[in-house]
Amino acid sequence: MTQIDRRFVVGALLATAASGPAFGARCRIARASLDAGWWPRPGLPARIQEIYPTVLDGRIFVAGGLEARDGPDVDAISDQLFVMRRQTEVAIGDTEAIRIACDFDWESRAPLPEPRHHPNLVGHDGFVYAIGGFRAGNGGIWEMIPNTTRYELGSDEWVEMAPMPVPYAETCAVSLGGLIHVATGRQPDAAANANWPDHGDRGDHLAYDASRDSWTRRAPNPNPRNSAAGAVLNGQFHIVGGRRVGGGNSDQHEAYDPVADTWQSRAPLPQAQGGLAAAVSGGKLVAFGGEYFDNGGGVYPQVWIYDPELDHWQAGPDMPTPRHGLGGVSLGDEIYAIGGASSASGRNTTNLVQRLRLAE
């Protein structure tokens, strides 16, 4: 299956979206070993992929995405916002490697103004921003948008802010140096903007100043691609992996210095992976998941751990349920792998949430 075919398959599966039910929050207590590895956490209330969650004030936020409502394959675009709060964990005893991990159930909050897939969520200056992505319209489900939509938890409201200067999606977005940075992804190649083939890879780098509600341009990423993963490590914006419309999966890895406004190449991923997620724990960058399309297609179980002092990757514990289109965030010293599909394209979309603790 070619990459374009993949998008047509997803498009054929999608149906109209509608808001889901509300989910009350309650605390699920679970005993979990202090040993390194993966542990299950409360699942999402819906099966969703192509999400970019974020963390703000100890809460995880997930909004939008491609949803599987009536079966395991995507058939809708979601407008739902789910929020989960984590309680401080308490060690038990002096010798037992046991603790109580308390994650509240996911709670449904105010939906996005419209169903969107691939919106990048960024926690920044007390708000959650949903940036870019796609919506259904004008003859397709891949109408790319420039929207910057801000969510405030206290009022439970979304507000439209200044849009990006261009539509942008399948990007990486982080909060860094007082700005929101958005880099690499895809944009429309011409006037058409409704289907996946209408867009091409870009290395554009845009920065949003919330105090001025305005966007400016920064140094572009030298390796245009889409579906990469991004995270902030040691004050720099790292982008890893991804794929190119005509070139397949990528192993490239760059780091952006916001002071110098420059990108530098770093050690590439040991394996080219697109549609992956990344997060930071213990001063290291962790990349995981993704999909491939040759030989019938599939998903990657591999987890890669990057040490910035050595500029070196090493293998981590494989994902217990390999997925692509998933989200990755970190809370404390642990990483959450959220949602995604266990088969390539829009098939076998899950609501799984699993948590990784790295070995010390």
Side-chain angles (χ1 to χ4, degrees):
M1 180 183 291
T2 67
Q3 294 167 32
I4 290 178
D5 287 342
R6 166 190 181 260
R7 303 299 175 150
F8 284 127
V9 168
V10 173
L13 290 168
L14 282 170
T16 57
S19 298
F23 293 82
R26 64 183 179 81
C27 185
R28 286 184 179 179
I29 303 293
R31 289 181 178 268
S33 170
L34 286 172
D35 292 341
W38 289 96
W39 297 94
R41 307 311 306 147
L44 287 166
R47 298 188 297 271
I48 309 174
Q49 62 162 292
E50 310 306 345
I51 54 174
Y52 299 80
T54 194
V55 169
L56 181 70
D57 296 336
R59 293 175 170 86
I60 300 174
F61 295 77
V62 178
L66 297 178
E67 184 177 355
R69 292 182 181 168
D70 296 327
D73 303 335
V74 294
D75 54 16
I77 303 173
S78 176
D79 63 354
Q80 298 178 86
L81 168 64
F82 302 122
V83 183
M84 185 179 77
R85 181 163 62 90
R86 176 184 172 193
Q87 189 179 67
T88 302
E89 297 179 354
V90 180
I92 302 175
D94 296 327
T95 59
E96 284 187 282
I98 299 294
R99 61 185 171 181
I100 291 181
C102 182
D103 285 335
F104 285 79
D105 273 346
W106 293 92
E107 181 182 6
S108 182
R109 305 284 290 187
L112 288 161
E114 61 184 350
R116 301 175 187 173
H117 56 100
H118 292 81
N120 280 83
L121 299 192
V122 181
H124 179 77
D125 285 352
F127 296 93
V128 170
Y129 291 82
I131 300 171
F134 302 92
R135 65 186 173 196
N138 297 326
I141 61 146
W142 297 91
E143 181 184 343
M144 192 180 294
I145 60 176
N147 297 55
T148 304
T149 311
R150 189 180 74 183
Y151 176 76
E152 201 276 320
L153 183 65
S155 63
D156 193 29
E157 293 179 334
W158 292 93
V159 178
E160 292 295 339
M161 310 301 290
M164 291 181 286
V166 291
Y168 216 1
E170 295 182 279
T171 63
C172 299
V174 299
S175 175
L176 173 64
L179 301 171
I180 293 176
H181 294 260
V182 181
T184 74
R186 297 198 306 128
Q187 295 172 10
D189 280 335
N193 179 19
N195 295 292
W196 194 82
D198 296 335
H199 313 120
D201 296 325
R202 299 291 190 275
D204 284 6
H205 177 189
L206 309 174
Y208 177 72
D209 186 336
S211 66
R212 298 183 178 183
D213 189 27
S214 64
W215 289 88
T216 56
R217 291 185 178 271
R218 293 292 190 268
N221 184 290
N223 299 307
R225 60 197 190 274
N226 69 85
S227 302
V232 173
L233 176 64
N234 294 342
Q236 295 190 333
F237 181 9
H238 286 251
I239 293 181
V240 298
R243 55 175 164 251
R244 295 169 293 269
V245 172
N249 284 339
S250 170
D251 64 358
Q252 290 169 315
H253 173 201
E254 307 88 20
Y256 172 75
D257 182 338
V259 177
D261 190 30
T262 58
W263 295 88
Q264 291 187 342
S265 294
R266 295 288 187 260
L269 276 172
Q271 175 173 269
Q273 295 178 206
L276 71 169
V280 171
S281 178
K284 296 180 180 179
L285 178 66
V286 182
F288 47 95
E291 64 185 333
Y292 58 91
F293 303 102
D294 54 348
N295 299 319
V299 290
Y300 294 107
Q302 286 86 354
V303 173
W304 304 108
I305 303 171
Y306 175 73
D307 186 329
E309 294 185 2
L310 301 176
D311 190 30
H312 175 73
W313 294 89
Q314 67 178 38
D318 283 356
M319 299 181 68
T321 306
R323 311 194 293 284
H324 79 91
L326 72 167
V329 298
S330 57
L331 273 177
D333 59 354
E334 293 175 321
I335 290 172
Y336 285 69
I338 302 168
S342 59
S343 298
S345 190
R347 309 290 182 182
N348 292 318
T349 300
T350 78
N351 72 333
L352 292 175
V353 179
Q354 295 166 331
R355 198 173 68 185
L356 172 64
R357 175 179 287 271
L358 299 179
E360 296 181 358

